[in-house]
Amino acid sequence: MSFTVEERGNPNSLSYRLFFKNAEGKYISPFHDIPIYADESQNIFHMVVEVPRWTNAKMEIATKDLLNPIKQDVKKGKLRYVANVFPHKGYIWNYGAIPQTWEDPAHKDEDTDCCGDNDPIDVCEIGSKVCSRGEVIKVKVLGILAMIDEGETDWKVIAINVEDPEANNFNNISDVQRLKPGYLEATVDWFKRYKVPDGKPENRFAFNEEFKDKDFAIQVIKSTHNFWKALISQQTNAGELNCKNTCVSASDSSYCCSADEAKAAVGETCPCGKEEPIPSSVDTWFYYERK
């Protein structure tokens, strides 16, 4: 199963969008149309890469837009970049989401005592390759971190690309501790403090900041897949989410998006143009005392 992307608008601008196509060249939603599993029998999942490692632009699947293209998050009318909190530079993993998952904001998680953040479940891919924005990779799940972000449950799955040269050595979270010492501690530190430069408090975590293992992670992913199933079958209120898709819903469903409608939606955006410069302030390093 292969996927391609089509850039529209000017990179590093408010107009930039990244649309997805399947192997037949049909426009699809990366939220709804890409299958959760690459190999269900082996618990291998698809991951949509939103942010390549070392970069700062906060790119994400636009869950409220038709076809859910990747676009840059905007705050107060300005493009959002994550701050570099020393010693980190940009995102310290390839960052993205597992398709066909949804953290339901109406569901209070018994482990975190908070409701879901209304997004697909997040993934930190720890392999050696820097992925491309919009790349769809197959990942092996290793564990999970339960972050509480401004009162919402925001799970962070730790995974490795199955094509990574070291993938066979990683089968659970303990392997990350052993083979990449310091990486998990740095991950907690990154998530704890990345919003501090914006004047926000440090993020909190359930389980005393401990990572849960592979089996626990897979159960969490499966539960978010069930929430997505309820969403796409209209058993749950979608709120502002755009659930239109080109491959999953039946033709008589209001969520079914025809090929013509999809093509028209892409056509309404500007063709890919000149890249805008990234502000030099994005490279600033911030220093804080660890509490």
Side-chain angles (χ1 to χ4, degrees):
M1 194 170 275
S2 64
F3 305 93
T4 55
V5 287
E6 181 181 326
E7 289 187 299
R8 303 285 292 181
N10 295 17
N12 310 321
S13 80
L14 292 165
S15 69
Y16 181 79
R17 300 288 184 275
L18 196 62
F19 288 94
F20 286 72
K21 292 176 175 176
N22 64 11
E24 290 88 59
K26 180 172 163 181
Y27 288 111
I28 59 167
S29 157
F31 185 4
H32 306 300
D33 289 315
I34 296 175
I36 176 174
Y37 291 107
D39 183 344
E40 188 170 358
S41 67
Q42 299 293 310
N43 279 316
I44 303 297
F45 296 88
H46 280 125
M47 171 188 174
V48 177
V49 177
E50 297 165 314
V51 186
R53 190 168 76 233
W54 308 139
T55 64
N56 295 73
K58 193 170 190 321
M59 308 298 296
E60 53 191 25
I61 291 169
T63 56
K64 296 170 185 174
D65 296 3
L66 182 57
L67 292 178
N68 313 117
I70 287 178
K71 68 177 184 183
Q72 193 163 349
D73 193 22
V74 175
K75 206 162 207 176
K76 296 178 181 167
K78 289 192 169 172
L79 294 172
R80 194 167 158 211
Y81 294 89
V82 299
N84 305 300
V85 177
F86 186 84
H88 309 302
K89 167 65 181 87
Y91 286 71
I92 61 171
W93 347 254
N94 294 301
Y95 191 71
I98 297 179
Q100 297 186 341
T101 63
W102 179 53
E103 296 197 52
D104 184 351
H107 171 77
K108 186 181 253 197
D109 189 278
E110 58 191 37
D111 293 312
T112 64
D113 206 32
C114 294
C115 294
D117 70 351
N118 205 27
D119 282 325
I121 199 165
D122 296 322
V123 192
C124 303
E125 192 279 319
I126 64 164
S128 49
K129 177 190 166 196
V130 176
C131 292
S132 308
R133 182 187 300 152
E135 200 173 335
V136 180
I137 61 173
K138 298 168 184 178
V139 297
K140 186 196 300 192
V141 168
L142 305 172
I144 197 164
L145 179 66
M147 187 171 97
I148 298 164
D149 184 356
E150 297 180 36
E152 294 177 330
T153 301
D154 193 0
W155 292 103
K156 306 296 179 187
V157 175
I158 306 299
I160 191 165
N161 189 339
V162 295
E163 292 178 6
D164 190 272
E166 296 180 354
N168 288 343
N169 299 331
F170 289 85
N171 297 295
N172 215 320
I173 201 71
S174 56
D175 297 322
V176 186
Q177 290 280 23
R178 186 170 52 86
L179 298 169
K180 291 184 185 270
Y183 204 172
L184 296 180
E185 292 83 352
T187 295
V188 172
D189 183 65
W190 195 98
F191 281 120
K192 186 184 283 185
R193 303 193 297 153
Y194 81 106
K195 287 187 175 178
V196 172
D198 300 330
K200 298 269 177 73
E202 290 186 349
N203 280 321
R204 297 183 300 114
F205 304 86
F207 308 116
N208 202 25
E209 303 183 357
E210 286 176 13
F211 289 79
K212 303 302 276 184
D213 68 7
K214 173 183 191 147
D215 291 343
F216 189 101
I218 288 169
Q219 286 312 118
V220 172
I221 295 165
K222 285 181 173 175
S223 76
T224 63
H225 182 50
N226 287 332
F227 292 134
W228 172 82
K229 280 182 180 170
L231 176 72
I232 209 72
S233 60
Q234 305 192 24
Q235 292 163 23
T236 305
N237 179 12
E240 295 180 2
L241 296 177
N242 194 310
C243 295
K244 284 215 160 196
N245 60 83
T246 60
C247 303
V248 175
S249 296
S251 57
D252 60 349
S253 165
S254 59
Y255 286 170
C256 178
C257 177
S258 70
D260 288 344
E261 187 184 354
K263 214 175 265 184
V266 176
E268 282 169 15
T269 60
C270 309
C272 189
K274 188 166 158 278
E275 192 172 309
E276 301 281 338
I278 295 174
S280 58
S281 58
V282 172
D283 289 330
T284 306
W285 240 346
F286 294 88
Y287 299 84
Y288 297 102
E289 291 268 346
R290 277 192 175 80
K291 290 177 184 172

